[in-house]
Amino acid sequence: MPRGEVAVGACVCGAVEVEIGVPARWAWHDHAAASRHAHGAAYATYVGSWRSRFRFVAGEEHVTRYEDEAAGTVRSFCARCGTPLAYERARSPKMVNVPRALFTTRTGREPRYHMNLAQQADWTYLGEPLTPLKGYPGVMWERPRKKRRPPEPMF
């Protein structure tokens, strides 16, 4: 792949670099409990790449893998810092799913799909109005919902 046609990503410590061909095949937010648990977040955002357009650029010796045989999945992550690097499924052997957060540049796809919404955490932010928290620059908060009073009797 010529350098101008790729997006390069890296783990937190910088030991591992990955590269995908641009544009990515697709991008989505995964609300599945397994992805939420693996990423320690409300949901994981992935870009899908053809396996032939994905490669480790540096640090492959720092990559470790967790295989869930029952689910038919493999998760790769950096053995030094723990950053998730790739998610692969036996059902899609030609695809590699890469956490979008690894990339600081565009991947050619915006995440417009939401998967596994039935498993969405009840604490996921859903776009509720936020206001600045006084005395804490950069901190926003949700105001408590006002309790609805029951209607007053007419008589």
Side-chain angles (χ1 to χ4, degrees):
M1 284 179 283
R3 193 76 172 153
E5 299 176 21
V6 299
V8 178
C11 64
V12 171
C13 72
V16 180
E17 284 187 11
V18 299
E19 176 178 280
I20 64 168
V22 173
R25 178 75 178 116
W26 70 316
W28 71 99
H29 304 292
D30 185 7
H31 298 270
S35 286
R36 184 170 59 250
H37 199 195
H39 286 257
Y43 55 88
T45 302
Y46 290 105
V47 291
S49 174
W50 293 111
R51 184 174 302 282
S52 62
R53 294 175 54 109
F54 168 85
R55 73 181 184 109
F56 288 100
V57 177
E60 194 167 1
E61 68 275 13
H62 297 294
V63 176
T64 192
R65 297 162 47 97
Y66 168 71
E67 186 171 353
D68 184 341
E69 290 182 23
T73 61
V74 176
R75 293 181 184 275
S76 299
F77 54 96
C78 176
R80 289 182 62 194
C81 66
T83 301
L85 300 169
Y87 172 66
E88 301 166 75
R89 300 181 321 176
R91 296 189 321 226
S92 303
K94 294 183 179 184
M95 296 295 295
V96 177
N97 304 304
V98 184
R100 175 61 179 92
L102 298 183
F103 303 97
T104 57
T105 60
R106 294 186 174 275
T107 61
R109 295 281 184 248
E110 295 297 323
R112 304 215 185 266
Y113 306 93
H114 290 261
M115 309 276 292
N116 303 301
L117 279 171
Q119 297 179 42
Q120 179 175 314
D122 61 358
W123 46 266
T124 301
Y125 174 67
L126 299 174
E128 298 86 355
L130 302 174
T131 58
L133 182 60
K134 289 181 183 174
Y136 295 88
V139 177
M140 305 293 283
W141 73 295
E142 291 177 44
R143 293 184 185 270
R145 290 184 176 90
K146 294 182 181 179
K147 294 181 181 174
R148 297 184 82 178
R149 286 192 231 168
E152 293 187 28
M154 292 180 65
F155 302 100

